[in-house]
Amino acid sequence: FSPAGEAWADEMIQVVNGNLQYACDFIRDNFPGVKVMRPQGTYMLFVDFEGWCQKTGRSMDQLIKAGWDVGVAWQDGRPFHGEYSIRINLALPLTKVQEAFGRLDKYVINA
């Protein structure tokens, strides 16, 4: 990297790490029945909703649609071998991560 590129990469890593910490803590504290492990080497969070789906009786398709309906662009994790999983991109400003998790909390997971 050039000095400018190195500085940019360092800042990006800090932002992504902060977003990962925020998301993992938020899920642990606010989303009952949902499991998450902090990823290593990626900005994609892989979230397991099996317990939540079983508890609520909602399907993955219903869950995915509910997130999209409130403006949360997340990705079905089933093509990545996660039967009850969703992938969430965390390479964005923290304020957007906070907004997305607030919407999920209020309108989807704990509605």
Side-chain angles (χ1 to χ4, degrees):
F1 290 124
S2 68
E6 189 173 332
W8 177 87
D10 289 343
E11 289 175 22
M12 183 190 66
I13 290 167
Q14 287 180 334
V15 168
V16 170
N17 279 333
N19 291 350
L20 287 168
Q21 190 63 53
Y22 176 86
C24 289
D25 290 348
F26 195 95
I27 291 167
R28 181 195 66 227
D29 296 342
N30 298 287
F31 291 2
V34 178
K35 297 177 187 174
V36 65
M37 285 182 37
R38 186 178 170 92
Q40 296 180 359
T42 182
Y43 52 84
M44 296 297 290
L45 193 63
F46 205 67
V47 187
D48 181 351
F49 285 87
E50 182 174 12
W52 184 87
C53 286
Q54 291 175 349
K55 177 182 168 188
T56 63
R58 294 180 75 184
S59 70
M60 283 298 296
D61 290 330
Q62 291 170 318
L63 173 62
I64 292 165
K65 182 179 182 320
W68 279 94
D69 286 349
V70 298
V72 177
W74 53 5
Q75 183 180 28
D76 188 342
R78 291 175 287 191
F80 301 92
H81 308 289
E83 184 178 352
Y84 288 93
S85 296
I86 291 179
R87 289 172 23 119
I88 302 173
N89 181 338
L90 294 176
L92 61 156
L94 177 60
T95 56
K96 295 294 185 185
V97 175
Q98 292 168 329
E99 181 180 346
F101 277 89
R103 289 180 189 188
L104 291 172
D105 184 30
K106 185 174 182 179
Y107 302 114
V108 179
I109 306 302
N110 294 305

